[in-house]
Amino acid sequence: LTVLDPTYMVASTTKLDVGGIIPNTLVLLPRRRVALNATIGTRDAIGFPIHLFDSTGARVRSFGHDTGEFDFRRGTHWRSLATDGGTIWSVPFTRYVLERWTISGRKIAAYERQLDWFPPYDARVNLSRDQPPKPEVIGIRVDDDGLIWTLVRLADREWRKGVHPEGAETEFGGAVDPHVVWDTVLEVIDPDRLLVLASMKADEFISGFVDDRLVYSLRIDEQDIPRWDIWELSLTGQHADIRSLR
């Protein structure tokens, strides 16, 4: 794990003590600890999606699943993570369920966002022109006020135009143009009052959070040069829907 300072110089490098690992997202915790969503191929860790490491890179514990049963095909293993400093918020890609975990590995809350356009499902499937891609929660962030910001990608109305025949390549290097296939829904949730304060859909494929109220997306410019666009978010109004969380 390498940390860069604001001038992009290497501030620290820590080797995480794991065997075979397939990483996804991580969050930085107090006392230089790290929580990582990953598949770790050891007997005691493989069934759990969240892994806690101390400042030396040693794995302290693994948690995030009630039974620890592992199925690589289940999308619930892959998660977006965020932290409020004292606890970890976790959302499976395939279920809009906000879970709150203590650093000791105990689940203390779970809230489900119930939406007609996002029914929960288990297995992730490869993208093809035969059926529209299913929604996925791709980002979560807890701001200084304790509000939870989420990013959900879902199929654009003309998603098929962004899926090209097998073997073809787009400007993004594969057979999929993400900005044509997906839109992004941004939501702001108050977990204390169980309220959805705001919800909006952007005709952009937003990749994730940079910081509080900052998100980023990748585009290819006219000279075929990759560019990262940074978007600043603001909460200007409030729309409450208490029935959508439980």
Side-chain angles (χ1 to χ4, degrees):
L1 173 65
T2 299
V3 178
L4 305 181
D5 66 18
T7 65
Y8 303 104
M9 299 297 292
V10 175
S12 66
T13 299
T14 304
K15 182 179 180 181
L16 301 182
D17 183 18
V18 297
I21 182 172
I22 304 176
N24 178 40
T25 58
L26 63 82
V27 291
L28 301 178
L29 301 168
R31 303 204 304 272
R32 298 182 63 187
R33 294 175 296 178
V34 172
L36 175 69
N37 171 230
T39 297
I40 296 180
T42 61
R43 184 185 298 272
D44 63 332
I46 193 169
F48 295 100
I50 306 174
H51 311 278
L52 178 67
F53 296 85
D54 65 18
S55 61
T56 68
R59 182 167 59 89
V60 177
R61 66 180 58 89
S62 298
F63 56 96
H65 193 283
D66 293 332
T67 65
E69 179 183 1
F70 178 70
D71 185 344
F72 190 84
R73 297 167 298 178
R74 291 178 66 90
T76 53
H77 189 85
W78 303 108
R79 301 177 176 229
S80 297
L81 302 181
T83 181
D84 54 15
T87 60
I88 297 170
W89 288 91
S90 167
V91 185
F93 283 6
T94 61
R95 295 172 181 261
Y96 203 159
V97 179
L98 304 171
E99 297 178 356
R100 193 176 191 181
W101 295 81
T102 66
I103 302 299
S104 62
R106 182 171 62 91
K107 183 165 65 175
I108 56 177
Y111 308 115
E112 182 177 3
R113 180 84 164 98
Q114 297 176 327
L115 296 161
D116 292 338
W117 53 266
F118 196 158
Y121 60 97
D122 288 329
R124 303 174 77 187
V125 296
N126 293 329
L127 187 62
S128 72
R129 305 190 73 177
D130 297 331
Q131 58 182 344
K134 295 181 178 180
E136 291 189 344
V137 183
I138 59 171
I140 179 174
R141 181 86 182 184
V142 182
D143 68 17
D144 291 339
D145 296 322
L147 301 179
I148 298 175
W149 298 62
T150 64
L151 295 173
V152 181
R153 67 181 183 187
L154 74 161
D156 184 271
R157 288 185 178 182
E158 300 183 345
W159 63 270
R160 279 191 176 89
K161 293 182 179 180
V163 182
H164 300 272
E166 185 176 356
E169 287 198 1
T170 71
E171 57 190 2
F172 288 88
V176 175
D177 186 335
H179 290 288
V180 178
V181 174
W182 286 290
D183 295 335
T184 305
V185 173
L186 167 70
E187 298 198 318
V188 183
I189 297 170
D190 184 336
D192 294 328
R193 296 186 291 163
L194 299 186
L195 297 178
V196 179
L197 301 181
S199 181
M200 62 159 288
K201 184 168 72 171
D203 189 26
E204 295 280 348
F205 176 65
I206 298 175
S207 302
F209 288 96
V210 177
D211 204 339
D212 285 357
R213 308 194 181 194
L214 292 177
V215 295
Y216 69 96
S217 62
L218 173 66
R219 64 179 172 87
I220 308 298
D221 69 12
E222 294 79 4
Q223 287 76 41
D224 291 330
I225 299 175
R227 301 288 187 184
W228 294 105
D229 291 325
I230 306 298
W231 305 76
E232 184 175 7
L233 310 173
S234 61
L235 184 62
T236 58
Q238 292 191 346
H239 169 70
D241 185 0
I242 195 170
R243 293 174 300 173
S244 60
L245 290 175
R246 71 179 182 189

